[in-house]
Amino acid sequence: MKRALISLVLMLKIAEMAMAQSSFIPLNDDSYHYLKRMEIKSGRISDQLHFSALPLQRHHAVVMVDSTQDLISGWSSVDSGAMNFMLTDNDEWSLYSGALSRKPFLKYLYRDKASLYQHRNDDFMVKVNPVFDFEIGTESASGEMLFTNTRGIELRGWVAKKVGYYFFVSENQARFPQYVHDRIDSFGAVPGEGYYKTYKTTGVDFLSAKGYFDFTAAKFITIQFGTDKNFLGNGIRSLALSDFSEEYLFLKLQTQVWKIRYQNLFVDMTADFTREADQLLPKKYGAIHHLSLNATNFLNVGVWESVVFQRNDGYELQYLNPIIFYRSVEQLLGSPDNVMLGLDMRVNLFRHVSVYGQFMLDDFNIQVSKGTKGYWANKYGFQLGAQYIDAFKVSNLDLQLEWNHIRPYTYTHNDTVANYSNYNQPLAHPLGANLNEWIGVVRYQPIFPLTIRWSLTVAASGRDTAGSNFGADIFIPTTESNVFTVYGNEAGQGVGTDLLLNEWTATYMLRHNFFIDVSYSYRKTASTLSAFESSSHIFQMGVRMNVAKRKFQF
């Protein structure tokens, strides 16, 4: 009876908040791992959360946690810890009493465990948190000391429970491993960030800033506007839209009704540029549609389309149509833009396994390809992966294996503007194209505050050299006149380069969202060209609060 009464109160609270607005859970957050585990163990695909289009709203996460509790049997102490973490981290939407601090600091600070300061009433809510990431380390490749020095602030809340908002800003100085430093020099941007200044010769100094507003336009339609990142797909990588590039300005329309979520994303990005003195950088634009459907209790399927384009007079109004097929618009305009299509799917089985996949089609010419193999303009990629939670009946031992295959010349275009990039960085896979990649992850939590993670990335790619175009570099303007060969193209052609990235990380959460990290990585590249060969042992340790650990998985 007590449990039934609690469930009734929760349902009434959820109904009351149905039209309220909240911020979104940041990408690369442990919360997504916990939520996916809960969904798999529940044996039922969530109608609140569609994991193929991230980020997700915080209040939807709380609804999902509340709705799955009774569906899961045999909760471990770690599962309970994860559930309590989620309810505490999103306490503005939950009734979890454990979110309150027993001893607030100076009466007004940390009255709840997840916020340095919180003020909440029906008219206004604000949660304020400090952000920091202090890390030191060494590596064998450069022999230099590595460090990260991040300080910032995070705010989120609502106005009259009708308009949600989020703001994050941090100041950063860092000396990253040599392979990251080489990437920064080559691309003119910090991976996952963007603009930077040189700091102490081999370091970088950069500002991170993002923020947005969101509100409900109708009962089932949410509108979000601001600067942030988005992610499409169920894997570690995305072949459609990843979080690897810098944040971009966007307008998002999200319609969720029954078992369907339909998302429109209109973005303003930065085209390719050469790093020089302060200047006005060139613009490019994009539009992406994604439809997600829970076809059964165990199967989710999705379809998506995207277009990247440039106009001298601003955004192409034709692409603002939220439901039209972009290929028809492209043909109407004279086919000047870069349109892609794709599918994604996820199947949850036996309360322990999730199988997922993704397919993307950049271009394909059936007429020209008849009777031949490897036509250069047949540009596509696919992904296949699986997760196995509580593997081999060991509680909280989770395994994941993923394979990504991307054909040469995928994501390229016939100019330097409409390629699939933003601020000199790929919008999808960080290695570009022309590759086969395998990623394995072992994650184990013997107790809730401690997470041990091992990740192994193995990739075989074909690199380009000066004056050659084998199809790896998505920034090279590509036409039939400058490809390696018109027919006979296959993934890995060119300068064969093999990547091995072996990463071990141990993370302990001292208090809510306050972590101690210790990590060791070994990265090696072997190539038929000595200029592409490298090897390094990297050791780092540090503390961070209210920010995800920065990853350079390339």
Side-chain angles (χ1 to χ4, degrees):
M1 177 63 73
K2 182 178 180 181
R3 190 165 188 166
L5 288 173
I6 293 175
S7 298
L8 177 61
V9 172
L10 287 172
M11 292 301 293
L12 291 172
K13 185 68 174 178
I14 291 166
E16 175 189 331
M17 299 185 300
M19 293 293 288
Q21 288 304 297
S22 75
S23 59
F24 291 70
I25 301 173
L27 294 174
N28 292 321
D29 195 284
D30 285 340
S31 297
Y32 289 113
H33 179 77
Y34 299 145
L35 290 170
K36 286 182 179 180
R37 269 185 58 91
M38 291 179 192
E39 184 190 66
I40 295 170
K41 295 189 74 169
S42 73
R44 187 183 184 91
I45 292 282
S46 169
D47 289 334
Q48 290 82 32
L49 304 182
H50 289 244
F51 289 102
S52 56
L54 302 179
L56 302 174
Q57 284 190 303
R58 291 180 179 273
H59 75 87
H60 285 164
V62 171
V63 172
M64 188 265 193
V65 172
D66 289 335
S67 65
T68 57
Q69 290 184 59
D70 292 337
L71 297 176
I72 300 175
S73 59
W75 281 86
S76 69
S77 60
V78 176
D79 288 327
S80 297
M83 182 191 69
N84 294 340
F85 174 88
M86 290 300 305
L87 297 178
T88 299
D89 204 48
N90 307 285
D91 66 338
E92 66 265 44
W93 305 107
S94 73
L95 299 177
Y96 179 53
S97 61
L100 300 176
S101 298
R102 294 181 179 179
K103 295 181 179 180
F105 182 66
L106 298 178
K107 189 177 179 180
Y108 294 103
L109 303 181
Y110 284 112
R111 288 181 293 182
D112 61 286
K113 297 176 182 177
S115 308
L116 172 67
Y117 175 77
Q118 178 175 179
H119 172 76
R120 187 195 316 176
N121 57 40
D122 289 341
D123 295 326
F124 181 71
M125 194 273 285
V126 60
K127 293 170 74 75
V128 183
N129 267 315
V131 170
F132 63 79
D133 184 0
F134 305 128
E135 197 168 325
I136 59 171
T138 61
E139 73 159 337
S140 60
S142 66
E144 291 191 296
M145 183 186 77
L146 309 178
F147 65 88
T148 300
N149 181 7
T150 294
R151 300 90 56 215
I153 190 171
E154 177 188 58
L155 291 86
R156 75 173 194 256
W158 68 55
V159 177
K161 289 189 177 181
K162 301 297 183 183
V163 178
Y165 66 88
Y166 177 83
F167 175 73
F168 175 99
V169 64
S170 69
E171 171 67 11
N172 311 267
Q173 291 83 39
R175 181 182 292 125
F176 296 125
Q178 184 64 47
Y179 78 96
V180 180
H181 180 72
D182 293 343
R183 176 99 179 201
I184 293 172
D185 283 347
S186 176
F187 284 69
V190 176
E193 298 292 342
Y195 177 81
Y196 71 95
K197 297 182 290 184
T198 301
Y199 180 76
K200 293 186 176 179
T201 309
T202 55
V204 290
D205 185 324
F206 58 96
L207 183 74
S208 295
K210 54 188 174 182
Y212 53 79
F213 288 95
D214 64 282
F215 61 93
T216 298
K219 184 176 181 180
F220 303 110
I221 301 175
T222 298
I223 297 177
Q224 184 186 7
F225 178 74
T227 299
D228 204 347
K229 301 179 184 182
N230 295 270
F231 190 97
L232 293 180
N234 298 287
I236 300 168
R237 304 293 201 191
S238 173
L239 307 186
L241 179 64
S242 75
D243 57 350
F244 182 73
S245 77
E246 188 193 26
E247 289 88 1
Y248 41 79
L249 182 70
F250 68 89
L251 172 67
K252 182 193 295 183
L253 280 66
Q254 203 170 77
T255 304
Q256 183 162 338
V257 60
W258 189 50
K259 299 177 181 294
I260 295 173
R261 171 177 289 180
Y262 184 55
Q263 178 174 289
N264 307 105
L265 193 60
F266 309 105
V267 298
D268 180 312
M269 301 178 291
T270 302
D272 300 2
F273 65 92
T274 301
R275 181 175 165 83
E276 297 174 348
D278 288 347
Q279 57 181 314
L280 183 63
L281 300 180
K283 288 284 188 182
K284 64 192 296 185
Y285 307 96
I288 303 171
H289 296 166
H290 182 269
L291 174 66
S292 174
L293 168 67
N294 290 338
T296 70
N297 287 340
F298 59 86
L299 171 63
N300 172 272
V301 294
V303 295
W304 59 270
E305 61 173 346
S306 68
V307 59
V308 176
F309 61 96
Q310 192 269 342
R311 299 288 187 272
N312 292 329
D313 54 352
Y315 205 94
E316 174 59 66
L317 298 182
Q318 295 270 9
Y319 290 128
L320 290 177
N321 190 319
I323 56 175
I324 198 167
F325 192 52
Y326 282 149
R327 181 65 73 180
S328 65
V329 175
E330 186 198 27
Q331 292 172 347
L332 177 67
L333 296 172
S335 230
D337 305 319
N338 192 2
V339 173
M340 293 191 294
L341 310 171
L343 306 169
D344 57 67
M345 69 87 185
R346 177 167 48 95
V347 183
N348 289 351
L349 303 168
F350 317 120
R351 297 180 182 258
H352 284 280
V353 177
S354 181
V355 179
Y356 60 89
Q358 191 173 49
F359 173 75
M360 66 81 57
L361 179 63
D362 187 350
D363 207 351
F364 198 89
N365 193 319
I366 298 176
Q367 199 67 30
V368 176
S369 301
K370 284 182 178 179
T372 62
K373 291 184 178 181
Y375 181 55
W376 78 273
N378 290 345
K379 301 182 287 185
Y380 57 85
F382 49 83
Q383 174 189 90
L384 184 63
Q387 287 179 280
Y388 180 20
I389 68 169
D390 296 333
F392 311 111
K393 298 184 179 180
V394 179
S395 293
N396 308 293
L397 173 64
D398 300 337
L399 312 180
Q400 186 170 3
L401 181 64
E402 181 175 299
W403 172 45
N404 295 294
H405 171 91
I406 306 177
R407 288 265 304 162
Y409 309 110
T410 304
Y411 304 120
T412 65
H413 201 57
N414 57 20
D415 58 34
T416 60
V417 177
N419 56 46
Y420 210 57
S421 70
N422 170 45
Y423 207 96
N424 289 358
Q425 300 174 79
L427 277 169
H429 199 291
L431 297 181
N434 192 20
L435 61 89
N436 276 290
E437 177 190 51
W438 297 263
I439 303 176
V441 178
V442 178
R443 178 184 171 118
Y444 180 52
Q445 284 190 273
I447 55 176
F448 175 71
L450 176 63
T451 302
I452 301 170
R453 188 178 187 274
W454 173 52
S455 173
L456 182 66
T457 303
V458 178
S461 64
R463 298 280 295 274
D464 301 302
T465 58
S468 70
N469 183 12
F470 295 107
D473 189 344
I474 70 170
F475 298 94
I476 299 176
T478 302
T479 62
E480 192 164 299
S481 63
N482 73 336
V483 297
F484 167 61
T485 179
V486 175
Y487 296 102
N489 294 277
E490 58 183 18
Q493 67 184 22
V495 182
T497 304
D498 296 328
L499 166 68
L500 172 68
L501 181 59
N502 186 9
E503 301 173 291
W504 291 86
T505 304
T507 299
Y508 191 88
M509 189 171 70
L510 280 176
R511 56 158 293 137
H512 190 85
N513 275 336
F514 179 38
F515 305 93
I516 298 176
D517 299 310
V518 179
S519 65
Y520 164 78
S521 301
Y522 173 66
R523 185 183 186 274
K524 180 180 179 179
T525 55
S527 177
T528 55
L529 188 65
S530 59
F532 293 149
E533 293 190 325
S534 64
S535 176
S536 186
H537 297 270
I538 304 163
F539 175 78
Q540 294 174 290
M541 61 187 302
V543 295
R544 58 187 168 89
M545 189 172 193
N546 296 312
V547 65
K549 183 173 174 58
R550 199 180 298 275
K551 296 179 182 178
F552 299 111
Q553 196 172 2
F554 56 82

